[in-house]
Amino acid sequence: MRHFLHETDFKPREIGEVFTLAKSYKQKRGKIAKVLAGQTWALIFSKSSTRTRVSFEVGIHELGGNPLFLNRNDIQLGRGETIEDTARVLSRYVHGLIVRTYDHKDVERLAAAGSVPVINALTDFLHPCQIYADAFTLAERWAGKRGNLLGSLKGRKIAFLGDTACNVANSWVIAANLLGMKIALAGPKGYAPSPSLNKILDAHGMGSGGYQFTTDPIEAVRDADVVYTDVWVSMGKEEETRKRLAALSPYAVTAKIFSAAKPDAYFMHCLPAHAGEEVTQEVLDSPRSIIFDQAENRLHIQKAIMTKLALAAKKAKKAKKSKK
Ligand code: CP
Ligand code: NVA
């Protein structure tokens, strides 16, 4: 069964196909093949969400399917039913699972125990749907109308400031290496990327250390094509709020820091943003801020990802039947 739990679950060539499909979905919007007709895809969420929940629910509907939202605490999972039993039971009813949770291992356990595609809708470790949408947002700008979407990303530099150990930063490190981009991260020492990232880069033949980490924000943004930040207090870290705000304050993306990047650099943020903390309102409102295009593209890219997984599941089912 094909899943989307990590950025590396699609090979670079396939990421190009996902982007091309997302581009065509974006152009056609309502007039598309109903790839999920007759299907129900369940969303199991243990954390809050605006963009991810709504873009998946709308996307499933636009593909002809039925979205089923399940808050973890409304199902028996929240009362101790195992992840494995939940996966086995839901696989008898639905055609795909979209999961937002804390421990990254939980999405892997769901995928291993179930028999339908699983999509990672954010864990403490990774947020791959976000980063595919972000990279697509950049590619559609840099490639222009007819250019090569993936090719347009090659050699570009992204600077990530703030909590550089968070899920969005981790996902960007992997994606940058996968897509031939350069990435520099700036934050305090205690918030540097986890060494486990190097293992992932190694395991996928991307070499280790495929990123630069510095405590100097100006050094990170120098020559950058993109300046990116995320909240300083990710979901699940609320108890550390005071400590984090104090440690991360030198890494706020201000107009001064943004102006140290290339003159045509874009500002990006996965949202929700906390203006006055990780970024100023002035930068959020800048004409080079593309935060709402990123948010919109979650819809188009996730439709493309679901299409790929649904078609792979159909193919696998057919192959299984013909073996019998
Ligand atoms: N960027 C993102 O995943 O937003 P939500 O938490 O609103 O889904
Ligand atoms: N790092 C943030 C991303 C939210 C989309 C969090 O995990 O809360």
Side-chain angles (χ1 to χ4, degrees):
M1 186 56 56
R2 182 141 211 200
H3 306 288
F4 183 62
L5 308 182
H6 325 93
E7 291 68 21
T8 47
D9 288 341
F10 287 110
K11 295 193 180 69
R13 177 185 51 79
E14 296 171 312
I15 300 176
E17 292 165 9
V18 169
F19 282 16
T20 304
L21 189 54
K23 188 176 166 184
S24 110
Y25 278 157
K26 188 170 182 171
Q27 281 160 352
K28 293 183 195 148
R29 196 69 200 262
K31 295 171 243 129
I32 56 171
K34 304 294 180 211
V35 183
L36 303 186
Q39 298 197 1
T40 295
W41 283 54
L43 291 88
I44 310 174
F45 277 42
S46 307
K47 292 176 173 172
S48 308
S49 171
T50 299
R51 283 142 286 270
T52 309
R53 175 180 177 176
V54 177
S55 56
F56 266 112
E57 290 206 30
V58 171
I60 292 165
H61 172 76
E62 289 184 1
L63 290 171
N66 173 48
L68 177 67
F69 185 79
L70 303 168
N71 183 311
R72 181 200 165 93
N73 293 326
D74 294 341
I75 57 173
Q76 298 290 8
L77 184 66
R79 296 181 63 247
E81 183 163 22
T82 65
I83 287 175
E84 282 72 18
D85 282 358
T86 304
R88 289 179 194 118
V89 170
L90 292 181
S91 293
R92 303 278 177 120
Y93 302 133
V94 304
H95 300 83
L97 297 173
I98 296 153
V99 186
R100 170 167 282 204
T101 191
Y102 293 88
D103 190 344
H104 184 77
K105 284 197 194 87
D106 290 355
V107 288
E108 293 181 334
R109 284 172 60 193
L110 267 166
S115 51
V116 294
V118 177
I119 296 179
N120 176 356
L122 180 147
T123 63
D124 287 346
F125 185 46
L126 297 176
H127 197 3
C129 292
Q130 177 71 53
I131 272 53
Y132 271 37
D134 293 344
F136 173 70
T137 304
L138 291 168
E140 64 178 354
R141 284 173 176 261
W142 288 333
K145 276 219 169 83
R146 277 184 197 79
N148 179 320
L149 288 167
L150 276 198
S152 74
L153 299 171
K154 298 243 180 309
R156 298 281 191 162
K157 177 180 171 183
I158 173 155
F160 191 103
L161 266 53
D163 178 9
T164 69
C166 78
N167 40 20
V168 172
N170 288 338
S171 281
W172 252 117
V173 168
I174 298 171
N177 279 276
L178 202 57
L179 300 169
M181 298 173 75
K182 291 180 260 182
I183 183 160
L185 305 106
K189 272 207 181 88
Y191 296 83
S194 145
S196 62
L197 270 185
N198 285 333
K199 280 194 206 140
I200 297 180
L201 298 182
D202 269 343
H204 290 88
M206 297 186 272
S208 65
Y211 58 89
Q212 182 206 348
F213 174 76
T214 168
T215 52
D216 177 358
I218 296 287
E219 187 188 330
V221 302
R222 196 170 297 131
D223 294 325
D225 297 286
V226 180
V227 178
Y228 201 117
T229 192
D230 185 9
V231 290
W232 288 340
V233 185
S234 283
M235 292 179 277
K237 304 276 186 205
E238 291 78 4
E239 279 178 16
E240 299 173 17
T241 300
R242 211 171 343 155
K243 183 179 117 195
R244 285 175 164 265
L245 297 194
L248 292 158
S249 63
Y251 298 91
V253 181
T254 58
K256 184 171 167 230
I257 288 193
F258 190 35
S259 69
K262 282 188 179 163
D264 57 351
Y266 291 120
F267 171 73
M268 298 182 95
H269 192 309
C270 56
L271 303 181
H274 292 177
E277 290 184 13
E278 74 277 4
V279 57
T280 60
Q281 190 65 52
E282 186 184 359
V283 173
L284 283 168
D285 293 340
S286 143
R288 286 186 281 121
S289 164
I290 53 173
I291 54 179
F292 298 113
D293 289 341
Q294 290 173 259
E296 178 188 337
N297 284 336
R298 298 289 303 278
L299 171 67
H300 311 301
I301 211 82
Q302 287 159 194
K303 278 160 73 179
I305 292 167
M306 288 189 286
T307 300
K308 283 269 182 202
L309 298 188
L311 294 179
K314 227 178 232 173
K315 206 167 156 191
K317 206 169 161 189
K318 217 170 167 188
K320 207 170 155 191
K321 238 187 202 166
S322 69
K323 256 192 199 163
K324 277 186 190 163

